[in-house]
DNA sequence: TGCCAGGGTCTTT
DNA sequence: AAAGACCATGGC
């Protein structure tokens, strides 16, 4: 089926980005992306690829236990952030020379969201202060510990375990995966929150304002300003959210502003506060400066 | 080889 | 309030 996007969208740009992510929850191959998901226990495997027409994508369901097309369409729209008014961001970006090159080179690039709250919480903890390659490996070990996958054409398509399943793990189990003791505690703490509802996607979405939701998140042990913003930006989709202090963002500023060294937090706060509701996308495009 | 990685908590000044 | 210690390990 074809999904048309209201505004700029370039699947090729998205694919190049996804290919470099090494996220165990989807597979990129031959300019196609495949992913397995479970919707209320009904598992689906689907494939996303470039559509013949511009600003659109092609979705094909390869295996379905009864979830249906509609849920998959909603999922894909959420995943690729298709409802965002990207043109409005480009209007904003035209006023700032920092975005001149990247908005041209990556025209049609949208945020790759984390649809699953457990996924984003785990990732925002595992990703703290370690190199990305290793972080992706740790996530892979955690996911693969649970036997949730769809096998198709000889490949396994992994599905994120539910929070309740993560709770069956001990800190020692995760230490064996080389996840640090602290992070293992954080992961269990967050999984508990998802289970009891205090960190459920619905509850976080119910916060009217970005700052209130952020305050709630940072009150949780293991979630600091960076992790809170990752969750709010990539799952709850508060467009003001910026992972302040992010190492990549600092490096990007060093490049765009031609600084001798990475800027301090005050320097960045000044600029970020001016981004307002374009903060999340400004961050995404700043990251692209890093290549 | 040592510093840096898409940080956060806890403790100490 | 601000700074330092510690976590853990791979990548370059």
């Amino acid at each position: 089926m074809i999904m048309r996007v209201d505004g700029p969208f370039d699947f090729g740009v998205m694919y190049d980005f996804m290919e470099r992510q090494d996220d165990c929850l989807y597979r990129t191959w031959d300019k196609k992306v495949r992913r397995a998901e479970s919707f209320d226990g009904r598992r689906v495997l689907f494939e996303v690829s470039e559509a013949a027409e511009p600003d659109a994508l092609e979705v094909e369901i390869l295996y379905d236990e009864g979830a249906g097309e509609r849920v998959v369409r909603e999922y894909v729209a959420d995943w690729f952030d298709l409802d965002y008014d990207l043109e409005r961001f480009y209007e904003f970006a035209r006023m700032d020379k920092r975005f001149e090159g990247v908005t041209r080179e990556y025209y049609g690039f949208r945020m790759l969201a984390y649809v699953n709250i457990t996924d984003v919480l785990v990732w925002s903890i595992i990703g703290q202060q370690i190199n990305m390659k290793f972080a992706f490996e740790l996530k892979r070990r955690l996911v693969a510990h649970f036997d949730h996958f769809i096998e198709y054409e000889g490949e396994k398509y992994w599905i994120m375990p539910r929070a309740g399943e993560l709770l069956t793990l001990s800190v020692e189990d995760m230490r064996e995966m080389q996840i640090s003791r602290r992070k293992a505690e954080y992961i269990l703490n967050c999984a508990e929150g998802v289970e009891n509802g205090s960190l459920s996607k619905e509850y976080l979405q119910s916060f009217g304002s970005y700052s209130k939701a952020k305050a709630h998140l940072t009150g949780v042990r293991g979630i600091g300003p960076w992790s809170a913003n990752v969750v709010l930006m990539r799952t709850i989709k508060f467009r003001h959210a910026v992972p302040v202090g992010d190492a990549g963002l600092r490096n990007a500023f060093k490049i765009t502003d031609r600084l001798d060294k990475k800027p301090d937090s005050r320097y960045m706060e000044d600029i970020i506060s001016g981004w307002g509701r374009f903060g999340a996308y400004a961050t995404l495009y700043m990251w692209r400066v890093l290549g």
Side-chain angles (χ1 to χ4, degrees), chain A residues 213-224:
Chain A
K214 191 172 82 174
H216 174 70
L217 276 166
T218 51
V220 177
R221 183 167 180 266
I223 304 181

Side-chain angles (χ1 to χ4, degrees), chain A residues 15-271:
Chain A
Y15 181 87
D16 292 341
F17 175 79
M18 296 176 82
E19 199 175 28
R20 295 208 307 270
Q21 290 294 303
D22 199 26
D23 188 333
C24 62
L25 295 180
Y26 61 78
R27 183 181 296 277
T28 55
W29 178 75
D30 193 29
K31 289 215 75 173
K32 293 172 177 129
V33 183
R34 285 179 180 176
R35 172 165 205 144
E37 272 295 343
S38 176
F39 300 99
D40 293 324
R42 294 169 180 179
R43 300 184 307 158
V44 188
L45 175 68
F46 57 92
E47 180 178 276
V48 184
S49 58
E50 185 132 46
E53 58 190 277
D55 301 326
L57 41 73
E58 175 82 34
V59 180
E60 188 181 349
I61 295 175
L62 304 173
Y63 173 84
D64 186 4
E65 293 177 350
E69 273 194 13
R70 198 173 64 84
V71 234
V72 173
R73 289 178 76 97
E74 279 173 12
Y75 186 94
V76 170
D78 195 350
W79 190 19
F80 290 94
D81 206 20
L82 302 184
D83 293 330
Y84 183 69
D85 190 350
L86 185 55
E87 195 53 65
R88 197 72 59 225
F89 168 71
Y90 285 150
E91 281 173 21
F92 159 83
R94 273 196 279 277
M95 298 185 296
D96 188 335
K97 287 195 76 175
R98 292 188 183 89
F99 303 113
E100 207 174 272
V102 279
T103 48
R104 192 170 51 240
E105 188 174 354
Y106 303 108
Y107 187 80
F109 174 72
R110 285 169 187 265
M111 177 175 74
L112 196 65
Y114 286 86
V115 179
N116 183 313
I117 188 70
T118 307
D119 184 12
V120 77
L121 285 168
V122 163
W123 179 246
S124 72
I125 290 164
I126 286 180
Q128 291 169 7
Q129 191 63 24
I130 56 173
N131 73 75
M132 285 296 94
K133 202 161 184 174
F134 185 48
F136 282 121
E137 176 59 28
L138 292 181
K139 177 177 171 181
R140 185 184 318 280
R141 289 176 192 168
L142 186 64
V143 169
H145 183 269
F146 301 88
D147 255 6
H148 299 319
F149 59 84
I150 293 174
E151 194 151 2
Y152 186 84
E153 292 178 348
E155 300 279 4
K156 286 180 178 174
Y157 295 88
W158 292 95
I159 296 171
M160 187 72 192
R162 287 173 288 103
E165 295 177 292
L166 292 179
L167 286 172
T168 67
L169 291 174
S170 67
V171 170
E172 289 310 315
D173 291 334
M174 286 189 265
R175 278 298 298 131
E176 284 176 25
M177 302 173 196
Q178 289 184 288
I179 294 170
S180 74
R181 181 169 301 278
R182 246 339 132 63
K183 287 184 181 179
E185 291 168 8
Y186 299 165
I187 288 169
L188 290 174
N189 190 35
C190 286
E192 176 60 33
V194 174
E195 273 297 279
N196 69 29
S198 64
L199 284 178
S200 73
K201 190 171 176 178
E202 293 72 23
Y203 183 58
L204 293 172
Q205 282 168 334
S206 76
F207 282 88
S209 79
Y210 157 67
S211 57
K212 281 181 185 169
K214 191 172 82 174
H216 174 70
L217 276 166
T218 51
V220 177
R221 183 167 180 266
I223 304 181
W226 181 83
S227 299
N229 278 306
V230 168
V231 173
L232 294 174
M233 172 184 166
R234 301 190 69 168
T235 301
I236 312 302
K237 301 194 176 180
F238 276 113
R239 309 304 184 174
H240 287 71
V242 175
V244 193
D246 177 89
L249 195 54
R250 296 177 68 196
N251 285 325
F253 271 115
K254 181 171 178 286
I255 294 170
T256 58
D257 296 25
R258 298 164 192 259
L259 307 171
D260 295 333
K261 50 185 178 182
K262 286 187 286 185
D264 59 25
S265 57
R266 184 168 303 164
Y267 181 94
M268 292 183 43
E269 298 265 13
D270 279 349
I271 298 160

